[in-house]
Every structure is written in C-alpha cells, then in structure tokens.
Amino acid sequence: FTGISDEGQHSISVVSQDLAGNFSTLATRQFGIDYNSPVLTEVTLGTNSAVYLNAQTTIAGVATDSQNGNNGTGISHVLITSQKNGGTVNQVMDDMTDDSAWAYNIPAPADHSADGSYDLVITATDGAGKTTTINRRVVIDTLSPELAITAPLAGELVSSASYTVRGQANDNGGK
C-alpha cells in the first residue's frame, strides 16, 4: 500500500475475489506509523561533563514519543548501561513500565568499593524500535583527602605578621 504519510494508528481492510466471483470475508488489520525517534531527557546531572559525587545519587528523567497518547507505539523501555574505569559494560537498569518517567540510583557505599569513573549510556526505545541516547560520566569519590601542615611547625613562634603557611594535600587516588 502507499499514500499513508501521517504518523499514528491506521487500519487497512482487504477483500479477495476468486475467478468464480466468490468473495472472502473482510479482513482488517490495525497498524501504526512512527517516523520520529523518542525524546529523552536526564534532569539530575544535566551535563556532558564529568560530575563528581561523594554520596548515592538518583538520576532521573523522562522519555516520550510522538505516539504516546495516540494509541500508538509509545516508549517500549529505557535502558542504562554502566562502564566502570573503561572495564566491562553492565546493564544497570531496564525500565519497561508504561509511564514516561525513569530513575536510577547511583550507589556510593561508605566502604569505597564503588569509587571510580563511570560512563553511563541512557537509551530510550519506542515501540517502532527507534532509539535516542544520552551519555553521562560520573566519578564516585567517597575518600576524603588528607591534609598536613608542614609550616609553621607545631608550637613554633613566628617573628612576623606575614607568614607563608605550607602544607601537603593527598587525595589518596580520589579526584
């Protein structure tokens, strides 16, 4: 068939006829047309630059499709994958609910086991298989830096109102 250019739900009805003039029963099929990819937003981090976190954070957003509310295809699911420090890619969320909102908790346990750099890929897929992707980088750093004052020495007397304080800071592999 040709000539159907509008997005949305459509139906087609067909009847067949044989050489003797007999007609089949009417066959009707419903189908949808979806030309557009879904719209995907992430509203917590909101940047393509690295975001540094020292506690668990929930990122969230919305995925919508031009066919939502039109008895159309809508959003099939939102998938998030995570890759820590360039290692293995792991699926961390697959939201297959019918609503458009999604959320994912980024863990940051106090034992520092999750510390590192994470590349998150958030992908929304609509019912027609079209996708939209957002990339985010998150650095989890739950270790506090160490600080040591090296001058003045403990109990030292200084002879001027102006003095340069010296020290060292070490972030112990953090950022």
Side-chain angles (χ1 to χ4, degrees), residues 52-57 108-109 115 139-143:
Y52 293 85
L53 303 172
N54 64 4
Q56 177 174 305
T57 301
D115 283 17
V139 178
I140 305 295
D141 179 6
T142 59
L143 287 169

Side-chain angles (χ1 to χ4, degrees), residues 91-151:
Q91 178 179 312
V92 294
M93 188 199 84
D94 191 357
D95 185 345
M96 298 177 68
T97 61
D98 291 335
D99 66 355
S100 60
W102 60 269
Y104 169 65
N105 289 321
I106 300 172
D111 68 358
H112 318 297
S113 61
D115 283 17
S117 177
Y118 292 83
D119 289 313
L120 302 176
V121 179
I122 307 160
T123 304
T125 304
D126 70 14
K130 296 184 179 296
T131 61
T132 299
T133 299
I134 294 175
N135 296 298
R136 297 290 186 257
R137 175 163 287 168
V138 174
V139 178
I140 305 295
D141 179 6
T142 59
L143 287 169
S144 297
E146 294 176 356
L147 175 63
I149 297 174
T150 57

Side-chain angles (χ1 to χ4, degrees), residues 1-60:
F1 63 88
T2 60
I4 300 174
S5 60
D6 294 335
E7 275 200 325
Q9 290 298 300
H10 300 277
S11 65
I12 188 169
S13 298
V14 180
V15 173
S16 65
Q17 181 183 16
D18 65 18
L19 293 175
N22 299 308
F23 289 93
S24 68
T25 58
L26 180 68
T28 301
R29 181 63 49 116
Q30 300 288 326
F31 65 97
I33 296 177
D34 183 1
Y35 296 119
N36 297 311
S37 296
V39 175
L40 177 63
T41 61
E42 182 278 313
V43 297
T44 308
L45 304 175
T47 180
N48 290 327
S49 301
V51 175
Y52 293 85
L53 303 172
N54 64 4
Q56 177 174 305
T57 301
T58 299
I59 62 170

Side-chain angles (χ1 to χ4, degrees), residues 46-93:
T47 180
N48 290 327
S49 301
V51 175
Y52 293 85
L53 303 172
N54 64 4
Q56 177 174 305
T57 301
T58 299
I59 62 170
V62 175
T64 58
D65 186 66
S66 62
Q67 296 304 302
N68 281 353
N70 295 328
N71 294 321
T73 57
I75 297 298
S76 171
H77 65 264
V78 176
L79 175 75
I80 300 179
T81 59
S82 175
Q83 183 180 29
K84 181 179 180 183
N85 298 326
T88 303
V89 175
N90 295 300
Q91 178 179 312
V92 294
M93 188 199 84

